[in-house]
Every structure is written in C-alpha cells, then in structure tokens.
Amino acid sequence: MPRWAMVIDLRKCIGCETCKHVCEDMHRSPSGGLRRRILTSGPDSALGSQRIFLPIHCMHCEKPSCLDVCPTGATIQLSDGTVVVDSTKCMGCGACVLACPYGARTLESQDCTFVKSETDEDNRGLRRAEKIGTCIKCDFCRSDNDSGVSKGMGSGSVPKPDPLCVKYCIAEALYFGDIGDPESEVSRLLRQNHTIRLREDLGTQPAVYYIADEESD
Amino acid sequence: MLIDARSLPNDEGVDADICIIGAGTAGLTLAYSLIGKGISVALLESGGLKPDRDSHALNWGKNIGLPYYDLDVARARFFGGCCNRWHVALGNKQLGARIRPLDTIDFESRDWVPYSGWPFDKSHLASYYDRAQEICRTAPVSYDIETWIRSKGYTVLPLNNSVVETIVFKFCSKNPFIHDYADAVKNANEIKTLIFANVIAIDLDNSARKVSGLTVASFNGKQIRVNARIYVLAAGGIEIPRLLLASTQKMVCGIGNQNDLVGRFFMEHLHFWSGLFIPSERHYLERMTIYNAVQTVNGVPIIAKLAPSEDTMRRNKLINHNVQLIPRIVPRSTLYSFFFPKRKSEAVDSVWSVLSDARHGRVPSWDKIRNAVSGSDRIVRAVVDAGCRKVGATFDRRQIPVYFLANMTEQVPNPDCRVTLGTNRDQFGMPRVRLDWQVTLQDLSNAVRVQEVIGRELEQAGLGRLYIRLKNDTVPNNLHGGYHHMGTTRMHRDAKKGVVDENSRIHGVSNLFVAGPSVFPTGGHANPVLTLIALTLRLSDYITHVLRSK
C-alpha cells in the first residue's frame, strides 16, 4: 500500500498560482472555499533579494489534528495516508477548520455546479446542494489517484497518477509519489535535499515536504 | 537554434535581419510567422525555457495605484511568456485562454470615450483575425452565436438582441503555443533563440532616428551585442515602456517619449463579481448550459455571455462590457444582505463611536452626539435592516439557485494610469517599474448602467430579477485585473497622440517596432490574445515587405 506524499521545491516556485487556478477550475470550487493558497514571504525583492512563495493545502498528516475533533467521523484517514472528508457525514460544525494548524480547510458556502459542463473531469460537475456548509479541502485528487493506481500506475510510471496541481505546475516545482518506496522520486528528493515541514513542533507529521535553501528556513 | 546567452563569449556579436525582444505570445507568433521566409531572426528571451526565480525577480516593481497583482508574479518571464500560464480548464486535460476579437465599435472614435479611435477599422484586420484563429486552432472563424448553437441544439435567452445580445467567447488551448510553435521556433535554422538574454540598452545612432544595436546582459556578468536591420519589442505592456524609458543615452526623455506618452494609458480589463440574478423559474436557466459552463462545439470550447449591443452602447454612451452568469445554489439567508444591505452613514458611525467612548470611560464629543441625533432616521433604518438580516439568517433555511454576474469591462483610456520608472534598480542596473493603476468614475458608472440595461431586459423577458450592488462612485471590493497589460505604447498616426504609428513603428525611430497589446489605443471587453496575434501577423507581413523592398 503506498504512502502518498508531496514535495514542493520552493527554489522553483514562482508564485504564478497556476496550481491554485487549476485546482479551483477543475474541482469547480465555489468562491468561498479554497483547497489551496499561495503565501508570500521573504524580503522585499526591490532590495535585491528574492521572495519565497509557499503553496499551502492539506498536509495529509500522519497524525492529523482534524481527525479526533470530528464528531461525526466524516474526516477519515485512509490506509495510504490521504485524509479525506465524507461529505455525506459532515455536518459543517467547523471544528476541523479550527483544529487544523495549517488553515487548510474551509466550509463550502455555495454549491457552484448544478450545471454539467462537457469539459468536466470525471463528472465532478454534478454536485448536490446538500454539500452546502460541508468541509472542503485538498484530497490529493483522490479520484484521479485511484483511477491511475487501478490501472497499475505508480511512482515512476508515465503517466503518473498525480494530482492536478503537480500535473500542471509550469515551474515543475511539485512532486508526488509513494514515500514508502525508497526508489520513488519523492524519496530520492528527500534524501538529496534539505527539506522542512510546517509546524513539526506540533507532532502532526505532515506528508508535504518543502525543499528550501537553508537560509530560507 | 537554441543558444544560452550565458555561454557566449563576452562582447560576442549576434547579427540578424530582425531582432525580436521577448519570446512571449507576440514574440513567438512573430518568429513562427517568419519561418521559411528567408529572413534571419534573433529572438531574445530574458528567462530560460523554464521559469526561474532570478529572472522573475527582474519583474519586481511597485504598485502605487489601486491594488494590483505583485509585478513579479503578474508576468511570465520565460520562453513562451504568459501563454504558459493560461489556466482555464478546457476538458481533455487541456488548459487555455478565452479568445474573441474586438468589436467594431472598439475601433471607432467615440465622443464619449476620450482618446478613443484606432487608425483603422475592424474590417482592416478581418483577414488577420482569420489567420489568428488558424494559429489558435479555433476554426470555424465565425463568432455568430447561431453558428455555434445550431449543431448542438442549444438555446439562447429570449432577450431583445437589439438591446442585449448573447455573445460567444471561444477558448484556445495553450498547447499549440508552448509545444508546436515553440518547438518549431527553437528548431528553425534561420532563428537564433537566445535565452537568459536581458536587453539592458537600446542604442540609437547619432541621428537618434535609428536603432544601432542592443546591449544584452546575462546573470554571469557577460554582455553581448545584437545587431539587426529591424528590431521588434515584444516584451509586454509593462516591460516595453520600461525599456524605452530607461534608454536615455541619446534621448533624455526615453526612446519614443518625445511627447511624454510612453507608459501612459495603461489599461486593464476590470474583472469583478457584482450583481445577483434570481431566476423566476428555477430550472429555466439550467437548460441554458451554453451560458453556465464551458461547452465543446465542433471541437472548440466555447461559452456564451451577455453584453449590450453596439446600438445600445452608442445610444447610451456606454463602454464595452460583458457578463457571465455564474450558477450557484445558496442559502436564501445570504440574500438578506441584498434585500437589507448594510448602510454606511455618519450617524451610524457616530453611534458606534459614542458607545466605544462610553465603554472606555471617555466623554464623547458633542459633534458625535449631534451627528447621531440628527441622523436618527438612518440609525433606525440600519437597526431594522440588521434585524431582518439576523432573522433571515436564523430562520430562513431554504436554498435557491441564483446567478452571480462575473463582469469584465473595458477601461476608458486615462493618461494618468501609467507605468513609470522607480528609483530602485535591478541587478543589471536597470530601473524598476512603478505601476499606477487607476479607474475613472466613467469606468464605475458605466458598469452600473450596463447592469441596469441587462437587468431591465431580463425582467422584461420574464426571466427574473437582477439585484445591483454596484455604486457609481465606489470601486468594487473584489476588483481585479486579467493580466492584460494594454495601451502603454498606444497607436496613433499623429506622433503627438501616439507612441507607435499605424504600422506599429515607434514614431521617430525608423527601425523599431512594437508587437503586443501595448499598442492598443482602446481595449474593448475581449481578452487581448486574438487581437495581439492578428496585429502581430499584420506586423510580420509589413516588416517582411520592408526588408524585401530594401
């Protein structure tokens, strides 16, 4: 069973937000809900230094804070490490939103997709109004992932069962794969580079790693 | 032929018939159009084949007007330019951008739009628009809505077309540009594509009427010289004025800036969500799928929008504007903010201020008390509205389908909306830019009036009611641009009124041209891509003719 993880190379990210736009467009996220944010930090570039752009989404933690606070069991951690929300069980209490230290969850205020588009991927265009008020967050594009894995795709396969953000990143700054496979690209990147995870002090053990220059820490 | 400029020897000279500065959509299109014509080309790109932070940091500048995108992320400084960033989902896992030609009225000199008017009308560009659509692979070329809906049996809203019409936007995939055309240009023997090649000086000859060469620098400190018979600036609507204004060796005011026009008239397309349409019959608009989402017809992704007709714009002196109907299902309680809006007033502010003073043990001023008392009617109204919002939010749990209006509008050309040079410099010593993005009262009031026109037509057709939240003098709080940088080297036959002439040549400099939307005198409401490709193809024909005639 794979253990999915993502590696984001901050040395390459240029803050173009293509990953965020693709995620919103293809998941038909309503304007009130975000699966992905890009934060900027670092010194003012006018002074000659470079800015850092930090993509943030669900970290799919090994020990997620959101899991225990969910009163209905809607938040589930799958055996491959992906943390997902069963919207049929979610009652929109927002406890998980408060519990997440990464600000990776929001409650869906509107349902944008009662019209089917011929360009919808995997019929995501059809969603029911019952999902208003439930929690949305990144799920590593689970349906694409499962579809790819069921076809025998995995780390090292071409094409790979990558989330949309990874597929469409124009800077090729995002990597996705099985961290349990020592031969996978993500495992190799972790061995060869200095990486950090956000808020490691909290013990959540995120599955999203950032490659950064040591001075950028 | 692909060359990394960093690998060339210092002071190397590169010669070509045509030098194109910038390998974005315009530069790539121009280079591609010159393949096989027996013309040698030097195509200079500041960045590499993939984006890198060093190159993008060169884009950094200051926004000194309305909030705008940070300038280092507002553009794509690598081979292919902004077409790499087209991100609208088109199906079949493709991404692309909207394309539509400018309307006939956009080319006209309109007495209610200051500084409007192109040197030619739309019919002059007709054949180039057709060729541009071949480049974009969006044939058939027609934008007539009937052409597109007939084959699939779509229907359009029963509106009075002479007042408000349904218009078509097509979508062009980025794949032909970033793969097919990019590969063709890189592999063409007659094109030297130099990456990591930053133009730091445009040198004029002693007459100051002809470019004698370019100084090009790389991050490793090397400099080379590029010499051509014709030079084309294709670096985008912010970088082009930057280069011109910074080239002051022979012209203190900057190249082409003898009439203080370079960098002025920056135009964007105003994007904002405002306006709530509640359909009278819940499922009616669900059948109008052509408006609600991207649909593929004859292999081309399209979407329909609403816009005032040209006749309506002329009669009511409106600028161009389109709206997309965005379907949503919302709790009815969210509509109470429309029915009972928060009303800002000095009286209400004074009440809050008095209460705050009391809470903190301060004596409120007599002015605040007087404002509160004299505005008691407004205070009562505000309390009633707040109560209704609260009651609605608590007890009204129904969900209803609504349509938000996603607006995209033209900007009136404004000379004070401009790109200038700042005092900070990049690592090549080039001054960084400052962008002062402004909107005018005419931009804002036009948006309100267009929504009123559309709302009236929707109501008269029995389709429902449009609630308008825009105010004539208030910038919408979600206003943003579309990354469309237009107008900063505007086109006009008269050198006192434009930076380039009708052939996109810089006034006063015989061998320097501009490709891209910076030459647009007006921006219309359509994305600039199709028009910039059409103009670039026109420029390609012109400079080919110039070279061959010499």
Side-chain angles (χ1 to χ4, degrees):
Chain A
M1 175 62 65
R3 178 43 172 118
W4 298 120
M6 185 176 285
V7 176
I8 299 176
D9 194 341
L10 297 182
R11 301 168 305 182
K12 292 184 178 180
C13 179
I14 56 167
C16 66
E17 298 194 346
T18 297
C19 55
K20 175 169 166 281
H21 290 305
V22 167
C23 180
E24 285 176 3
D25 282 358
M26 293 203 179
H27 287 100
R28 309 288 294 281
S29 292
S31 57
L34 288 175
R35 286 179 169 80
R36 192 176 190 84
R37 295 174 293 142
I38 314 295
L39 303 183
T40 63
S41 64
D44 186 336
S45 282
L47 300 175
S49 302
Q50 290 183 4
R51 298 206 295 157
I52 294 171
F53 304 98
L54 191 71
I56 291 202
H57 52 90
C58 176
M59 299 283 148
H60 298 281
C61 304
E62 187 71 37
K63 295 181 179 175
S65 314
C66 51
L67 199 62
D68 294 333
V69 302
C70 179
T72 63
T75 293
I76 308 163
Q77 185 177 36
L78 303 175
S79 53
D80 61 14
T82 310
V83 178
V84 298
V85 175
D86 181 348
S87 57
T88 62
K89 292 182 180 175
C90 178
M91 65 178 195
C93 66
C96 58
V97 175
L98 294 173
C100 176
Y102 306 105
R105 290 171 167 254
T106 54
L107 295 183
E108 192 157 329
S109 62
Q110 300 158 353
D111 186 312
C112 69
T113 52
F114 59 82
V115 174
K116 185 175 187 306
S117 166
E118 293 185 27
T119 63
D120 281 329
E121 310 289 337
D122 301 321
N123 281 329
R124 287 191 200 105
L126 293 175
R127 299 181 57 195
R128 293 174 301 165
E130 287 83 1
K131 290 189 179 176
I132 291 177
T134 64
C135 175
I136 62 165
K137 61 173 225 45
C138 164
D139 64 356
F140 275 166
C141 292
R142 177 136 201 98
S143 56
D144 273 346
N145 216 2
D146 288 348
S147 167
V149 170
S150 70
K151 291 174 187 166
M153 297 178 191
S155 294
S157 298
V158 177
K160 294 185 284 184
D162 286 336
L164 294 168
C165 52
V166 175
K167 276 195 186 85
Y168 291 108
C169 174
I170 60 175
E172 296 178 355
L174 307 179
Y175 305 86
F176 179 80
D178 178 8
I179 203 173
D181 175 5
E183 301 305 316
S184 69
E185 190 173 24
V186 290
S187 295
R188 181 183 57 78
L189 285 167
L190 293 180
R191 280 196 302 272
Q192 294 175 353
N193 294 282
H194 169 69
T195 60
I196 58 173
R197 292 186 291 182
L198 297 181
R199 298 307 308 272
E200 290 202 72
D201 57 309
L202 297 175
T204 52
Q205 298 181 26
V208 176
Y209 297 78
Y210 296 88
I211 299 177
D213 296 330
E214 294 194 27
E215 64 208 33
S216 304
D217 282 0
Chain B
M1 188 191 313
L2 187 67
I3 302 171
D4 187 332
R6 298 171 299 184
S7 66
L8 294 175
N10 206 27
D11 293 330
E12 175 87 344
V14 175
D15 297 316
D17 292 323
I18 295 176
C19 177
I20 305 170
I21 298 107
T25 310
L28 200 56
T29 300
L30 181 59
Y32 181 73
S33 71
L34 293 170
I35 294 175
K37 291 192 176 176
I39 295 173
S40 61
V41 176
L43 175 62
L44 308 183
E45 170 51 51
S46 165
L49 293 179
K50 290 289 174 193
D52 66 276
R53 285 168 58 207
D54 287 334
S55 298
H56 275 78
L58 296 173
N59 278 342
W60 179 256
K62 280 199 185 313
N63 283 311
I64 61 174
L66 282 178
Y68 192 69
Y69 304 112
D70 290 336
L71 295 181
D72 59 341
V73 299
R75 297 163 283 164
R77 203 169 178 122
F78 63 109
F79 190 78
C82 288
C83 60
N84 287 289
R85 291 180 51 171
W86 294 348
H87 60 254
V88 178
L90 306 184
N92 292 322
K93 303 202 187 299
Q94 291 197 63
L95 300 178
R98 289 176 188 78
I99 62 165
R100 181 181 163 83
L102 293 178
D103 295 329
T104 302
I105 194 173
D106 296 327
F107 291 85
E108 296 173 3
S109 182
R110 294 164 275 173
D111 58 28
W112 64 96
V113 182
Y115 308 104
S116 60
W118 289 56
F120 41 79
D121 59 27
K122 185 176 176 181
S123 63
H124 175 79
L125 281 187
S127 63
Y128 294 107
Y129 271 131
D130 289 350
R131 285 169 57 187
Q133 289 210 60
E134 287 172 17
I135 296 265
C136 295
R137 301 182 187 171
T138 52
V141 299
S142 169
Y143 271 82
D144 176 29
I145 184 65
E146 292 297 323
T147 307
W148 293 94
I149 63 174
R150 205 177 303 130
S151 60
K152 287 256 183 163
Y154 291 124
T155 51
V156 296
L157 292 172
L159 300 174
N160 182 350
N161 283 340
S162 65
V163 181
V164 173
E165 54 187 4
T166 294
I167 61 173
V168 170
F169 274 75
K170 300 183 195 177
F171 293 83
C172 160
S173 168
K174 67 179 181 178
N175 288 344
F177 289 87
I178 63 173
H179 296 308
D180 304 345
Y181 308 144
D183 289 345
V185 165
K186 282 184 280 183
N187 295 329
N189 287 330
E190 66 262 54
I191 300 178
K192 288 178 193 162
T193 300
L194 278 73
I195 56 174
F196 297 109
N198 296 278
V199 174
I200 61 172
I202 302 173
D203 301 316
L204 299 179
D205 67 6
N206 288 332
S207 71
R209 299 187 72 80
K210 191 173 176 185
V211 176
S212 58
L214 305 174
T215 305
V216 177
S218 296
F219 287 122
N220 56 4
K222 291 183 182 174
Q223 290 189 2
I224 64 171
R225 188 100 181 125
V226 177
N227 305 296
R229 296 163 65 191
I230 285 179
Y231 300 82
V232 181
L233 292 166
I238 293 178
E239 193 67 12
I240 291 174
R242 179 191 183 214
L243 282 171
L244 293 173
L245 292 171
S247 299
T248 55
Q249 292 91 335
K250 290 278 180 3
M251 294 184 74
V252 174
C253 56
I255 294 175
N257 197 35
Q258 50 271 28
N259 292 297
D260 189 25
L261 293 172
V262 172
R264 291 191 184 272
F265 299 99
F266 174 84
M267 294 177 293
E268 252 281 12
H269 286 119
L270 306 185
H271 292 67
F272 53 93
W273 282 36
S274 185
L276 185 74
F277 174 64
I278 301 180
S280 52
E281 197 259 290
R282 180 188 171 118
H283 298 292
Y284 181 77
L285 263 78
E286 288 178 30
R287 297 194 288 271
M288 301 289 178
T289 53
I290 197 72
Y291 294 90
N292 301 328
V294 179
Q295 309 292 347
T296 302
V297 180
N298 298 329
V300 179
I302 67 166
I303 196 166
K305 299 190 182 191
L306 296 179
S309 68
E310 294 198 6
D311 194 44
T312 297
M313 285 190 275
R314 290 193 183 90
R315 272 189 287 107
N316 294 282
K317 298 191 185 302
L318 300 172
I319 56 177
N320 223 329
H321 184 138
N322 69 70
V323 301
Q324 184 178 338
L325 302 174
I326 310 290
R328 290 285 190 270
I329 294 178
V330 301
R332 193 175 161 82
S333 56
T334 64
L335 301 183
Y336 281 77
S337 63
F338 281 87
F339 303 146
F340 305 103
K342 285 185 183 175
R343 298 176 196 277
K344 205 154 172 52
S345 72
E346 200 176 343
V348 171
D349 289 343
S350 296
V351 167
W352 287 120
S353 183
V354 167
L355 291 173
S356 174
D357 288 342
R359 197 177 309 123
H360 290 97
R362 295 189 295 261
V363 176
S365 70
W366 175 242
D367 283 340
K368 289 180 194 172
I369 297 172
R370 188 174 52 215
N371 285 338
V373 170
S374 64
S376 55
D377 57 327
R378 287 183 286 274
I379 294 170
V380 168
R381 182 67 194 265
V383 170
V384 168
D385 287 344
C388 290
R389 288 196 301 272
K390 188 67 178 171
V391 167
T394 306
F395 296 107
D396 195 342
R397 301 291 190 179
R398 291 172 292 173
Q399 295 168 356
I400 62 168
V402 301
Y403 291 83
F404 287 105
L405 265 57
N407 300 265
M408 182 171 167
T409 97
E410 178 180 9
Q411 269 203 276
V412 173
N414 174 8
D416 295 328
C417 184
R418 60 189 300 201
V419 171
T420 54
L421 298 182
T423 52
N424 288 323
R425 292 181 179 264
D426 66 16
Q427 63 186 94
F428 294 116
M430 294 277 286
R432 295 189 182 273
V433 292
R434 294 184 314 176
L435 174 62
D436 187 358
W437 186 39
Q438 302 178 11
V439 296
T440 64
L441 284 177
Q442 187 176 356
D443 294 333
L444 299 174
S445 63
N446 183 86
V448 176
R449 287 164 59 209
V450 166
Q451 287 206 352
E452 287 170 350
V453 168
I454 292 176
R456 253 196 320 271
E457 287 304 306
L458 289 169
E459 213 162 323
Q460 283 176 7
L463 296 174
R465 184 164 173 196
L466 175 65
Y467 292 86
I468 298 173
R469 292 290 293 274
L470 288 174
K471 293 190 172 27
N472 283 321
D473 57 356
T474 306
V475 177
N477 59 12
N478 57 22
L479 178 73
H480 55 281
Y483 302 98
H484 304 155
H485 306 149
M486 304 176 286
T488 49
T489 58
R490 68 195 329 254
M491 184 186 284
H492 202 288
R493 287 203 170 92
D494 185 346
K496 291 191 176 60
K497 298 180 181 178
V499 176
V500 302
D501 64 16
E502 64 271 26
N503 295 309
S504 298
R505 187 199 319 249
I506 296 271
H507 281 292
V509 185
S510 61
N511 63 346
L512 184 60
F513 294 80
V514 175
S518 66
V519 305
F520 290 14
T522 53
H525 69 117
N527 304 60
V529 170
L530 196 66
T531 303
L532 82 87
I533 292 174
L535 286 173
T536 300
L537 294 172
R538 176 176 176 268
L539 176 63
S540 175
D541 286 353
Y542 181 78
I543 57 180
T544 301
H545 167 75
V546 166
L547 281 174
R548 287 180 176 161
S549 65
K550 287 182 178 176

